[in-house]
Amino acid sequence: PAQALIFDLDGVLTDTAQTHYRAWKRMADEEGLPFDQQVNEQLKGVDRMSSLEIILRHAGRTLSAEQKQALAERKNGYYVEAIAEVTPKDLFPGVARVLEQARARGLKLGLASASRNAAALLDRLGIAGRFDYIADAARISRAKPAPDIFLDVAAALGVAPARCIGIEDAAAGVAAIKSAGMAAIGIGDATTLAQADACLADIAAFDVDAFVSP
Ligand code: BG6
Ligand code: MG
């Protein structure tokens, strides 16, 4: 049976996948870079600089390292400004119940977010204390879809990957979970997340007891 749940954050526990999108869109509009929700799908779960590279590639624009740094920082400024308004009310419905169900079953809880803003966001959401371990994205060498961040969390929790369930809204995230040798629950569109072992429309549909047999 499973011994740990390892959650992604943006788009799984709260709607910040959209907040990231709006911040990128604001920067892209200012720079005249074509960018839309469809391109954004490729950005989900992907780290900050790789996200910018995808936007630039799609727009056919080449920039210097300094220019890229400046655009990534500008986007992050917009994002940080937006999450300063986040409160526990912004948790997706069902998150508190899922975390309680997991705790009641004695499961370890980990967080595997690619975001450098994850710790601050968890604080704003009031759930930082619920996790046994929160990965520091800045210390993970290979980003999702590489398994590194999920393996880092499993090791810190002291649970074998085969006994972990990863929960992700991004195709890159589901790929990372599967490549770590874990079971994957996809949150969102079953076609986009076809690699997941199970797919749910949202976190509210996650019944921990149904997935974790006693
Ligand atoms: C991921 C998001 O969780 O974090 C991506 O899905 C985002 O959209 C990435 O780019 C990095 O976030 P940050 O806050 O470090 O720029
Ligand atoms: Mg996500």
Side-chain angles (χ1 to χ4, degrees), residues 80-91 117-128:
V80 167
E81 191 181 301
I83 61 168
E85 310 292 322
V86 166
T87 75
K89 289 200 179 77
D90 292 304
L91 281 173
N117 294 296
L121 181 57
L122 286 180
D123 274 337
R124 302 282 330 158
L125 291 167
I127 55 169

Side-chain angles (χ1 to χ4, degrees), residues 2-206:
Q3 292 170 353
L5 299 183
I6 305 179
F7 293 88
D8 174 46
L9 173 57
D10 298 314
V12 170
L13 303 180
T14 187
D15 201 20
T16 38
Q18 278 307 307
T19 315
H20 278 293
Y21 171 69
R22 283 192 297 272
W24 282 124
K25 180 67 178 154
R26 183 169 162 194
M27 182 282 291
D29 286 351
E30 287 167 354
E31 294 301 312
L33 300 166
F35 178 56
D36 57 23
Q37 292 272 17
Q38 200 189 323
V39 177
N40 187 59
E41 208 46 53
Q42 298 169 47
L43 268 53
K44 288 186 181 171
V46 173
D47 69 77
R48 194 180 306 165
M49 200 43 89
S50 308
S51 295
L52 178 60
E53 301 281 4
I54 293 169
I55 293 173
L56 293 173
R57 193 183 330 126
H58 176 77
R61 189 84 62 91
T62 313
L63 296 177
S64 69
E66 293 73 28
Q67 289 170 315
K68 285 192 267 192
Q69 198 58 45
L71 292 189
E73 272 166 30
R74 196 198 303 169
K75 178 270 177 178
N76 190 53
Y78 296 153
Y79 181 75
V80 167
E81 191 181 301
I83 61 168
E85 310 292 322
V86 166
T87 75
K89 289 200 179 77
D90 292 304
L91 281 173
F92 277 141
V95 171
R97 189 257 312 150
V98 164
L99 297 179
E100 278 153 28
Q101 251 186 328
R103 185 58 71 197
R105 283 204 162 254
L107 299 174
K108 297 259 192 232
L109 297 177
L111 194 96
S113 171
S115 174
R116 262 98 164 150
N117 294 296
L121 181 57
L122 286 180
D123 274 337
R124 302 282 330 158
L125 291 167
I127 55 169
R130 304 276 207 115
F131 293 90
D132 297 296
Y133 180 75
I134 296 164
D136 177 359
R139 294 184 48 242
I140 304 295
S141 43
R142 295 179 307 159
K144 299 172 191 178
D148 302 31
I149 193 164
F150 285 95
L151 292 174
D152 173 70
V153 176
L157 295 176
V159 177
R163 293 256 184 271
C164 296
I165 299 177
I167 301 114
E168 263 284 357
D169 70 315
V174 168
I177 296 169
K178 292 315 296 173
S179 125
M182 301 176 183
I185 298 180
I187 302 289
D189 176 53
T191 313
T192 312
L193 306 175
Q195 228 197 315
D197 298 285
C199 197
L200 305 170
D202 47 40
I203 190 92
F206 183 23

